[in-house]
């Protein structure tokens, strides 16, 4: 049954369908909306939603709840996500499955999301849905991947995703349909093993019970190997009209819907443009992008920031023979007075102009922030 | 690609605009359409305009939620109408409250239809439901959804603690629906 | 007919008023009451009847900075009419 | 009810009086740049702000004052304040004030924060600043809700108080207990002056202004940390009509966060 | 001084007694995996840890206990604890305990934190957890210093206490005032049981263990937040000889952070 | 007069020579050492050093102190820096000059340092000294650049830098010698302008006195333009033996000293290797690197992490015609049991082996974390 | 010569002892004293004289888990020698 | 490139090793040399070995602070000597406390010189200053710095609250300096 839901409601429903039973957060637009949806629904499902007193406490609560093996989510927006970086980094090292919603104000947090804003070598799986329907799928997938890899998964959403209402049908997905059976949570800490000699310490620093100190080699190497495996296994993307495209537009998240719309329009008009969207921002689908861009003269990055994803595009195309000038930015910083990220770039007419300009080798400007290169 | 019908709703304060948008979206779902809508407020709790965009289609919607060019508009209050006008397509249709825009409404390349919405709302005993009158009128004019679907959707959309308004709301929708020539500007080709 | 003395008066920036009515009970002699009309931004606003003491209470409580308060050098007398009305 | 009512004469309030009169109070504080703002009808925050500005003006400290402002509805008021300001992040104002004061020991340093800002996000900051005896004045506008983000409960919301997520009133068993931050701070070694005012009526506003003056004087004497809490109406967050705001504030919040001076000259008191 | 002294007989202490005897206490708690650790000679933290583990064992809760550990010298002791543990970041343990408790309401949840961890970095966490009335037990090992990072002053260091950066003793005027965290928490609405022990002598250790038991019992009855603070020696951070540690602790810290039960069954007391 | 000083002492002395009068921090090895040095010296100079109760408070205090126009520094290590990310991001937007010491445990925080671990589009100037003597110069330069650009400057140090003692001479450098005269601090908030109608609000959100709301276009555009200017103007690097080098080793910070040592040795032996060191990690000296690498077959990145700087190397060489396989990593995660970052990679013998292996196209391993690619 | 009764005894893991001396004053009958020799890790350690009561105080205060405590089923008697010594 | 002389110092606990390293470094500065040194401890406050490396050169030092191959070592206590041995170069020199390593010391490719350092320290009335005896001996053997520079540097290195030890420390350095053949293994070619 399809029902009309705003993104924030649909995501909460999808999370609950995926078995999420704990949520904690601190209000901040547009994350507040998600928090409200969870606060309303989780108690009805026998779960708990805590209005934490700050983002630091929210992610701490999520950490503790997830450590017991429950499916758990938290999140925030901008400033709040920045505050969580210390924990994000260390939760990754403690190998705790957790879903984190970054309900961002625009796309300026791409670096933070994909490189980890915290300390040390770590990456989160980052999924960026294009619309509410995909967010429903991706939310369920996120819980699956988190459990599969014992790794935090970040969902990169925004104001548009939280507020757009769509007709959606939410049905619990089986583990099989999401990638296969999941490992047992035999690492979880439920309190039952005290005094047995097999009690656990779920920790981010590789400390082992019964022995002093740690073996950093083994600890770090294993974590890095896991990340390498994730990188190989979990790249996801969407591509359209790449055959014969002279120009390939690359965009992610809700902004990609503007790009896809325009590319479809232009193609219908016979203009040779293609469209590529990373669904996983990390691992970035570099191989697929290189293939999609194989025939193109120009790769145009549409992102709502000063140029961040463009690095991953260039890294993916490194050594492909494309000259430096062939990868251009057609996005830019673009925001509204409230700072919610609803800027003038979110306009198919503007996007259309910029794609045409890139195709014709013209400079574009006139929109906030301007193009980057 | 599917036929997509975009409806801009604009007004000030209150919840009339958002409610009307929600009823339209719910009614369209009832009739098996694909739907997307996005409401925008001032951002914080305090003041500002209230707009909403609804897209109804006979297949998956490919328009993004912020719509640059649209087919139609419902103008509950003309205060924030200006920036919308250039977004209307030729062949588009605008329904407005003729009580509030007594001198008519410049709809640019679109065709404008005035409805004495405030008067009709009072007649329906639903003083603040001008938006519903206009919604009814718009649906009558375009046949985008049926009156029955509208009425049912309205029942779903109104929260329990406002159920005392159900009847008057229903009358407002019906009076509006009857106010303009039925299916004069059909939304769907097959319903023309 | 009764005579009322005003020891002070107020200037009210009615177009800034958001109609919250906080000034009404704050006025010790109760000489403020809300208008029937609306101002430019759609709110009722306070109106002054004779009897203001210039105490400044309205100024202290108004969130929208609508009051300037004056003390008359000499009290001003107003004639006021009591009207019995059947609604 | 039928009866008799008084149709009173309406006086001209559009113009300054024609008769000889002296202005006893102008629209705005002398330290205000503008009078327009977007805060809700019946909000208590502009009222408290004016009391603060008037106190600074009265003490003649305008030219040596630095305000550090948190994030909440009151942040929008910074555009009207004619004082040097530093905008802090949500919760962080007391530390900024600390740093600024150390570099400008002769300046009056105050923070302006809401309950969400100070008692939720930044609780630790204000307590440490107080315990350290930092010679600054922290100001709390306490309405028991996150006004700006939609009116949810904060750590000061009293039992029974309505907020967006406690529409039936805060329930101790489910939502926990409020923190009486003024009392808590008064109990610390480093605090010299602590008072709690309320803007629910004119007398409350006048008292609040006195508290500001005393706190600032204490700071200028170098006595250590001072604190002024002000209970403010948030009819929007409480879902009450604007005109019922003051009464609700006084009864519901004021009965728990009791107003008055809590500590003077480093000595605990209740008046 | 010249005089007479007793050259006493040395008994065999390498082997269990040959005569009939029953063991009254073994080297380690039954919930300890090992006995070796790298903490300094004369450190009070292992002593406090044992009291805690003994309390869990006595109450028969070993199989339903989750500990959440902060970052400090005591972190190194986690390798010897035979209980399910979650390692938290510096300051963040109370929130982790909150989350875990909500998902495992039948488990005993305790945190193990130092004063730097709890009263400096994570002050806000423990206060909010307490005010929320979260049904967990927070445990503080209070030595008045950041032991792990070299012995600097913390927010609990008492006036006059020696630390690495207060070699002449903490000076209120320069370093501010200590926070008496136990008293502060006892004053909050959400707390049910609050006690402060000390491991400066055997009786103190025995009492501390009782406090742990009472706090855990309170939690298992679902009474809300409980708290056990333990004063522990840090001869290294204080720059005192190990054998003077207990006396220094009792005189200097114990006279300010006064030991005893502060709140029982939600009612404030001093015994 | 040269005196023997550990890095932590020398840096504090250099900062004081540069006019720094406020420092705040929270202990964490190896940042603690710096904090102790400032705590000892600043009061003697009429400044203040506060042992803040947490890193959040430390950076807040630094923010407030710097807002008054004083020269100010703070910093931390790993976890602590992560906690500061929210403030780091917003201090940049508020255009507050501030020097931040990241006394890292290894080089795993390169991404955080160079991409900003916080939210939004911002970059800090990041200076990575190779040794104590350079740290003395760079510390003074950092205060200069911070004031020149009204921008935070990060100094990336580590345990080695903090603990190595060298003979150093610390002399205050004139503004001229550091790049030219500095603009007046007419933005600073000293409290003197109240009631004048010209009072200031030093803020990260573009709010203006006297008018409601902000003009996000102007605000964001100006900030981005400034960052573009910094990027063009402030690239710094060191290069040796690049002429005729078949292989170019790229390394930064204290680890680069191992690389430079080995390259000099190898060159003395006639092996055609070169050495390139970014001194500014942002802006990354991409043009200079491209020139240095022009004749090389292989560019070998030596960094003590899972591969972070290598992105900037590839981005710098994008479109240069070098095939993808020509940029390799010869570093890797490498740490000690205490986690201080003193891992087995810090060994000229190991570095030598790896450079030779890269030159000969052999795979290398056997050291913690292994090479990345 | 005097006779001393031990109601209990302790086993001391001397090689773990870090010589902190906390056990010395903790022992109520004062039957523990520090050795002159050093253990494997370079510290003096406690030695037991007759008179232990098996009270367990030493065990409670020792940070290095050096004590196991036993209570004798029957008290054990020791002969002890007092020696006057000129240093 | 300049001549660089690396000195590894190793021992356990106490401050003897770090103090000796500091004195050597300060003495070298007094003689116009370039100097770098790095001490390593267990990491936390608690226990472990204590090592230090000093590099003295006649020009700017290009060796990194963690030295993989070195010229010489001062072994204050042999406990942590093993991992250092392979780092010594052929032609290198090791000075050790023959009281503690009674059976001699396997110095690998380097030449080992035993000194009765503990005995000499006691003779100097500075029981815990075996490290200074060894430092004196090392400097005597290599001439890396003069005894005068060492004595002056020692005065600078000892903190005020330890000044009661200055005299005994000085004796320890001097006794050590006299213990081995002067300049038998010269550090600098021109001093050979
Ligand atoms: C780190 C961070 N988290 C959340 C927010 C979102 N936020 C902005 S204002 C606000 C609530 C403010 O409440 P309060 O301080 O009580 O002020 P009021 O709006 O009630 O005046 C919140 C949560 C933020 N700006 N920064
Ligand atoms: C965010 C963060 N800041 C700083 C540190 C460094 N740090 C580790 S332990 C410690 C002090 C611990 O003090 P306390 O909690 O009192 O424990 P103690 O060592 O005294 O037992 C500090 C500051 C850290 N680990 N994380
Ligand atoms: S000044 Fe006093 S008396 Fe006059 S209107 Fe205001 S409140 Fe009333
Ligand atoms: S208090 Fe001010 S805003 Fe409110 S009604 Fe009175 S004049 Fe209007
Ligand atoms: S939401 Fe509340 S605090 Fe905010 S402006 Fe409105 S009334 Fe004031
Ligand atoms: S530093 Fe203090 S707290 Fe840490 S182990 Fe040593 S004595 Fe214990
Ligand atoms: S058990 Fe009691 S009497 Fe026996 S040695 Fe220990 S403390 Fe002393
Ligand atoms: S208390 Fe324990 S560690 Fe300390 S001296 Fe006694 S036996 Fe040794
Ligand atoms: Mg509030
Ligand atoms: Mg401590």
């Amino acid at each position: 049954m399809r029902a009309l839901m705003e993104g924030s409601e649909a995501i909460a429903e999808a999370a609950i369908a995926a078995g999420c039973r704990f949520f904690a957060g601190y209000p901040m637009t547009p994350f507040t909306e998600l928090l409200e949806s969870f606060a309303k629904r989780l108690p009805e499902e026998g779960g708990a939603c805590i209005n934490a007193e700050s983002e630091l406490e929210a992610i701490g609560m999520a950490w503790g709840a997830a450590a017991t093996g429950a499916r758990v989510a938290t999140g925030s927006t901008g400033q709040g996500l920045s505050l969580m970086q210390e924990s994000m980094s260390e939760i990754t090292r403690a190998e705790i499955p957790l879903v984190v919603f970054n309900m961002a104000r625009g796309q300026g947090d791409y670096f933070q999301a994909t490189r980890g804003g915290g300390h040390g070598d770590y990456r989160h799986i980052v999924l960026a849905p294009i619309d509410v329907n995909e967010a429903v799928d991706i939310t369920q997938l996120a819980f699956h991947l988190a459990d599969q890899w014992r790794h935090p998964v970040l969902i990169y959403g925004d104001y548009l995703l939280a507020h757009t209402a769509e007709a959606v049908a939410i049905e619990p997905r089986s583990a099989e349909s999401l990638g296969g059976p999941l490992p047992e949570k035999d690492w979880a800490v439920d309190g039952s093993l005290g005094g047995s000699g097999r009690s656990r310490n779920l920790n981010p620093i590789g400390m082992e019970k019964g022995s002093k100190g740690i073996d950093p080699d083994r600890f770090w190497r294993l974590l890095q190997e896991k990340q390498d495996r994730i990188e190989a296994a979990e790249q996801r993307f969407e591509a359209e009209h790449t055959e014969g495209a002279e120009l390939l537009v690359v965009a992610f998240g809700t902004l990609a819907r503007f790009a896809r719309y325009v590319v479809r329009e232009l193609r219908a008009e016979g203009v040779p443009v293609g469209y590529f969207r990373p669904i996983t921002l990390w691992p970035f689908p570099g191989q697929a992008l290189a293939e999609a861009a194989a025939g193109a003269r120009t790769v145009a990055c549409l992102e709502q920031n000063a140029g961040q994803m463009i690095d991953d595009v260039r890294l993916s195309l490194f050594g492909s023979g494309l000259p430096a000038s062939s990868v251009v930015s057609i996005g830019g910083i673009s925001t509204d007075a409230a700072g919610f990220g609803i800027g003038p770039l979110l306009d198919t007419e503007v996007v259309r102009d910029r794609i045409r300009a890139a195709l014709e080798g013209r400079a574009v400007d006139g929109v906030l922030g301007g193009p980057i290169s | 690609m599917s036929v997509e019908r975009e409806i801009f709703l604009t007004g000030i304060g209150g919840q009339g605009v958002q409610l009307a948008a929600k009823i339209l979206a719910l009614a369209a779902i009832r009739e098996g359409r694909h739907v997307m809508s996005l409401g925008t407020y001032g951002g914080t709790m305090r003041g500002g305009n209230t707009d909403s965009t609804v897209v109804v289609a006979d297949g998956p919607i490919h328009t993004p939620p912020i719509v640059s060019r649209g087919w139609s508009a419902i103008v509950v209050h003309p205060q924030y109408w200006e920036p919308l006008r250039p977004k209307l397509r030729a062949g588009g249709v605008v329904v407005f409250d003729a009580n509030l825009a007594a001198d008519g409404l410049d709809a640019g390349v679109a065709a404008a239809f005035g409805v004495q919405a405030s008067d009709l709302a009072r007649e329906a005993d639903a003083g603040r439901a001008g938006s519903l009158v206009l919604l009814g009128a718009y649906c009558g004019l375009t046949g985008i959804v049926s009156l029955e679907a509208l009425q049912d959707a309205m029942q779903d959309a109104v929260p329990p603690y406002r159920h005392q308004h159900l009847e008057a709301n229903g009358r407002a929708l019906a009076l509006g629906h009857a106010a303009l020539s039925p299916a004069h500007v059909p939304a769907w080709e097959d319903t023309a | 007919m009764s005579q009322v003395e005003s020891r002070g008066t107020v200037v009210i920036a009615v177009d800034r008023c958001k109609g919250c009515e906080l000034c009404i009970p704050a006025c010790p002699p109760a000489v403020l009451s809300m208008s029937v009309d609306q101002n430019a931004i759609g709110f009722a606003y306070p109106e002054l009847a004779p009897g203001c003491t210039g105490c400044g209470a309205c100024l202290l409580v108004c969130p929208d900075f609508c009051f300037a308060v004056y003390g008359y050098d000499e009290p001003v007398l107003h004639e006021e009419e009591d009207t019995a009305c059947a609604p | 009810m039928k009866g008799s009512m008084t149709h009173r004469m309406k006086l001209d309030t559009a113009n300054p009086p024609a008769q000889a009169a002296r202005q006893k109070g102008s629209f705005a504080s002398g330290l205000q740049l503008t009078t327009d703002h977007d805060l809700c009808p019946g909000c208590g925050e502009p009222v408290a702000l004016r009391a603060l500005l008037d106190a600074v003006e009265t003490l003649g400290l305008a030219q040596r004052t630095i305000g550090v402002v948190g994030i909440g509805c009151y942040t929008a008021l910074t555009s009207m304040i004619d004082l040097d300001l530093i905008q802090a992040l949500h919760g962080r104002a007391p530390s900024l004030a600390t740093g600024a004061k150390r570099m400008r020991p002769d300046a009056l340093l105050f923070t302006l924060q809401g309950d969400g800002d100070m008692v939720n996000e930044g609780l630790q900051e204000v307590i440490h600043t107080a315990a350290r005896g930092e010679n600054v004045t922290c100001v709390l506008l306490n309405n028991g809700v996150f006004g700006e983000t939609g009116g949810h409960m904060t750590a000061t919301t009293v039992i029974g108080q309505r907020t967006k997520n406690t529409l039936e009133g805060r329930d101790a068993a489910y939502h926990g207990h409020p923190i009486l931050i003024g009392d808590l701070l008064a109990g610390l070694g480093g605090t010299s002056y602590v008072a709690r005012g309320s803007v629910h009526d004119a007398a409350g506003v006048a008292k609040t202004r006195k508290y500001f003056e005393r706190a600032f004087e204490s700071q200028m004497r170098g006595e250590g940390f001072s604190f002024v809490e002000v209970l403010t109406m948030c009819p929007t967050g409480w879902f009450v009509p604007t005109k019922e705001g003051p009464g609700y504030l006084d009864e519901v919040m004021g009965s728990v966060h009791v107003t008055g001076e809590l500590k003077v000259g480093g000595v605990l008191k209740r008046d």
Side-chain angles (χ1 to χ4, degrees), chain A, chain B, chain C, chain D:
Chain A
M1 246 292 294
R2 290 185 315 145
L4 186 74
M5 284 187 212
E6 293 199 358
S8 51
E9 299 170 284
I11 288 170
E13 289 300 338
I16 288 166
C20 175
R21 288 299 173 271
F22 186 89
F23 194 85
Y26 185 79
M28 184 152 191
T29 312
F31 171 79
T32 311
E33 296 77 332
L34 206 57
L35 177 58
E36 287 179 353
S37 300
F38 275 103
K40 191 166 152 237
R41 290 284 290 115
L42 268 180
E44 298 170 7
E45 301 289 336
C49 178
I50 310 187
N51 269 48
E53 289 87 357
S54 82
E55 291 85 355
L56 292 175
E57 284 147 299
I59 193 150
M61 291 173 189
W63 180 336
T68 69
R71 282 195 159 178
V72 170
T74 182
S76 187
T77 296
Q79 283 85 345
L81 248 293
S82 295
L83 281 170
M84 291 180 170
Q85 292 305 316
E86 184 202 19
S87 293
M88 300 277 283
S89 166
E90 302 270 337
I91 284 172
T92 317
R93 274 196 268 284
E95 298 195 89
I96 294 179
L98 178 68
V99 173
V100 180
F101 291 94
N102 182 358
M103 301 304 288
R105 297 180 174 183
Q107 304 192 315
D109 306 343
Y110 181 93
F111 277 151
Q112 186 191 65
T114 57
R115 270 83 175 149
H119 52 290
D121 287 289
Y122 71 100
R123 304 267 199 159
H124 299 131
I125 299 171
V126 186
L127 298 161
I130 191 171
D131 60 21
V132 177
N133 268 296
E134 191 178 273
V136 166
D137 283 345
I138 273 184
T139 300
Q140 300 206 45
L141 176 64
F143 284 97
H144 181 87
L145 293 178
D147 280 350
Q148 177 180 343
W149 294 105
R150 287 187 60 185
H151 208 78
V153 178
L154 204 108
I155 295 182
Y156 198 113
D158 58 11
Y159 188 95
L160 271 194
L161 189 69
H163 285 264
T164 302
E166 289 185 33
V168 291
I170 294 167
E171 268 140 37
R173 300 267 309 266
S174 67
E176 279 61 36
S177 77
L178 289 166
L182 290 171
E184 266 205 73
K185 295 197 166 181
D186 55 9
W187 48 265
V189 166
D190 62 5
S192 66
L193 292 178
S196 71
R198 293 172 297 110
S199 58
R200 296 174 180 146
N201 181 9
L202 191 56
N203 71 84
I205 44 180
M207 287 187 77
E208 298 290 342
K209 286 284 183 83
S211 64
K212 296 194 286 186
I214 60 163
D215 175 353
D217 185 348
R218 198 169 157 288
F219 176 65
W220 291 102
R221 193 191 290 270
L222 289 177
L223 287 177
Q224 190 54 38
E225 279 172 11
K226 181 177 82 173
Q227 297 202 156
D228 291 347
R229 276 182 285 129
I230 298 175
E231 184 160 18
E234 300 297 351
Q235 299 178 17
R236 285 170 167 78
F237 66 96
E238 177 191 55
E240 273 186 25
H241 299 305
T242 56
E243 340 71 48
E246 280 176 33
L247 176 141
L248 184 72
V249 183
V250 186
F252 74 94
T254 59
L255 182 60
R257 190 157 177 175
F258 294 78
R260 190 176 63 186
Y261 179 89
V262 173
V263 167
R264 284 176 184 171
E265 262 189 355
L266 288 170
R267 268 286 169 148
E269 298 163 20
V271 184
V273 291
Y275 157 84
F276 185 91
R277 171 169 69 97
I279 295 175
T280 45
L281 305 185
W282 190 86
F284 192 83
Q287 181 69 28
L289 173 60
E291 282 160 23
R297 268 191 302 118
T298 305
V299 178
C301 300
L302 178 70
E303 52 182 330
Q304 197 187 352
N305 56 40
Q308 301 189 16
M309 179 193 64
I310 197 170
D311 275 12
D312 281 332
V313 171
R314 290 207 174 98
L315 290 169
S316 304
L317 301 175
F318 184 76
S320 69
L322 273 176
S325 59
S326 62
V327 178
V328 301
S329 169
I330 58 169
I333 293 169
S334 168
T335 190
D336 49 316
F340 291 167
I342 308 300
L345 188 61
L346 305 184
D347 182 333
T348 51
E349 302 290 314
V350 173
V351 170
R352 192 184 162 92
D353 281 355
R354 291 182 160 221
I355 291 176
R356 289 216 74 112
L359 197 59
E360 294 155 18
R362 279 189 289 119
V364 286
D365 62 25
V367 167
L368 199 53
I372 303 313
S373 95
Chain B
M1 260 187 304
S2 40
V3 174
E4 297 190 353
R5 293 306 186 188
E6 307 85 1
I7 305 96
F8 301 114
L9 297 97
T10 179
I12 49 172
Q15 290 298 311
V17 165
Q18 304 302 333
L19 180 66
K22 186 162 188 190
I23 292 171
L24 175 56
L26 288 173
I29 291 180
R30 287 188 162 262
E31 301 206 326
R33 303 286 176 192
H34 287 248
V35 175
M36 177 177 65
S37 89
L38 176 67
T40 52
Y41 320 73
T44 67
M45 303 197 73
R46 306 178 304 262
N49 58 322
T50 172
D51 279 21
S52 191
T53 308
V54 181
V55 182
V56 182
D58 56 6
I61 293 170
H62 86 132
T63 304
I66 295 175
V67 177
S68 308
R69 290 281 179 276
W71 181 65
S72 61
I74 299 175
V75 182
V76 180
H77 195 286
Q79 175 122 353
Y80 296 97
W81 161 244
E82 288 297 327
L84 274 180
R85 187 188 304 119
K87 296 192 174 179
L88 269 286
R89 287 206 210 91
V93 44
V94 177
V95 176
F96 68 96
D97 187 338
N99 289 124
L100 294 173
D103 304 337
L105 189 92
D106 172 8
V109 297
F113 297 83
V115 178
Q116 308 289 327
S118 302
D119 290 351
L120 290 173
R122 265 188 293 276
E123 191 181 321
D125 220 10
R128 312 198 69 161
S131 60
L132 298 189
V133 173
L134 290 169
L135 175 62
Y138 173 87
C139 294
L141 182 73
T142 62
I144 194 164
V145 294
S146 69
L147 180 58
E148 296 66 47
L150 270 188
Q151 294 285 16
D152 292 347
M154 186 268 293
Q155 306 267 348
D156 294 351
V158 172
Y161 58 89
R162 291 244 169 94
H163 273 183
Q164 69 277 21
H165 301 303
L166 286 181
E167 253 181 69
N169 284 348
R171 283 194 298 271
L173 285 172
L175 284 171
H177 198 262
L180 296 171
S181 335
H184 186 59
V185 188
W188 314 114
E189 301 185 12
D190 53 335
T191 58
Chain C
M1 292 280 280
S2 64
Q3 261 205 345
V4 183
E5 179 190 85
S6 292
R7 280 182 278 140
T9 189
V10 294
V11 176
I12 309 180
V14 292
D15 280 346
R16 216 155 48 219
C17 169
K18 293 183 186 147
C20 69
E21 306 190 23
L22 299 193
C23 50
I24 306 301
C27 174
V31 294
L32 293 173
S33 59
M34 293 305 283
S35 70
V36 175
D37 293 347
Q38 296 188 353
N39 66 7
I41 50 172
F43 296 109
Y45 48 84
E47 293 172 333
L48 181 69
C52 171
T53 62
C55 71
C58 50
L59 176 152
L60 281 180
V61 303
C62 174
D64 287 279
F65 309 106
C66 298
F67 292 93
V69 178
Y70 294 82
Y72 287 124
D73 291 351
E74 299 295 329
V76 173
L77 290 181
H78 311 268
E79 305 291 319
E80 203 173 75
E81 197 176 337
D82 288 1
T83 314
C85 73
Chain D
M1 257 218 331
K2 306 196 174 193
S4 85
M5 58 181 286
T6 308
H7 282 282
R8 293 195 287 186
M9 186 193 271
K10 289 181 202 163
L11 301 178
D12 170 28
T13 57
N15 303 295
Q19 296 90 335
R22 85 208 134 78
Q23 189 167 352
K24 293 170 73 178
S26 47
F27 294 117
S29 159
L31 295 175
Q32 253 175 267
L33 291 162
T34 58
T35 46
D36 271 6
H37 61 76
D38 283 344
L39 272 60
C40 303
C43 180
E45 296 188 345
V47 182
L49 174 67
R50 182 187 185 140
L52 186 157
L53 294 179
D54 282 344
V56 173
E57 204 182 12
T58 303
L59 298 178
L61 292 171
Q63 258 106 63
R64 50 193 287 204
T65 294
I66 302 176
V68 183
V69 186
I71 303 276
C73 289
Y74 45 87
T75 309
L77 300 176
T78 52
S79 62
M80 60 165 62
I81 301 175
D82 195 11
L83 288 175
D84 277 352
L85 299 178
I86 308 171
Q87 177 64 53
L89 285 170
H90 193 50
R92 312 282 152 227
S95 292
L96 273 72
T98 297
K101 181 75 179 188
R102 294 292 183 110
M103 292 295 94
R104 297 282 168 183
D106 294 337
L108 175 75
L109 252 301
F110 71 86
T111 71
L112 185 65
Q113 309 176 256
D115 46 323
D117 189 281
M118 179 189 282
V119 194
N120 282 53
E121 182 86 46
L123 177 59
Q124 158 153 351
E125 299 248 338
V126 72
I127 296 180
H128 281 146
T129 306
R132 222 187 297 115
E134 210 64 55
N135 197 27
V136 300
T137 305
C138 286
V139 174
L140 167 63
L141 305 182
N142 188 1
N143 52 20
V145 288
F146 297 111
E148 174 82 21
T149 50
H152 301 90
M153 188 191 99
T154 69
T156 69
T157 307
V158 305
I159 305 304
Q161 186 176 340
R162 288 164 59 93
T163 72
K164 185 165 185 187
N165 57 337
T166 64
L167 282 173
E168 312 293 312
R170 179 179 188 161
D171 171 5
Y174 193 77
H175 301 110
H177 294 258
I179 293 173
L180 309 189
I181 184 70
D183 303 76
L184 193 155
L185 293 175
L188 296 177
T191 51
S192 70
Y193 181 83
V194 178
R196 187 185 286 122
S198 168
V199 296
H200 72 287
D201 65 12
V205 177
K207 255 195 219 158
T208 298
R209 180 178 151 166
K210 265 275 159 266
Y211 298 156
F212 280 127
E213 288 178 18
R214 292 193 187 141
F216 295 157
E217 284 167 346
S218 164
Q219 183 186 151
M220 295 320 277
R221 286 193 299 269
E223 293 177 355
F225 185 83
S226 47
F227 183 71
V228 181
E229 175 175 347
V230 187
L231 305 182
T232 60
M233 293 77 74
C234 177
T236 309
W238 305 339
F239 298 86
V240 305
T242 54
K243 64 176 166 184
E244 293 172 19
Y248 191 86
L249 176 66
D250 192 36
E251 282 155 38
V252 176
M253 289 194 67
S255 62
V256 178
H257 300 282
V258 181
T259 58
E261 290 181 315
L262 280 71
K263 197 173 192 179
V264 176
V267 181
L268 282 169
K269 62 174 269 198
R270 292 254 26 155
D271 62 348

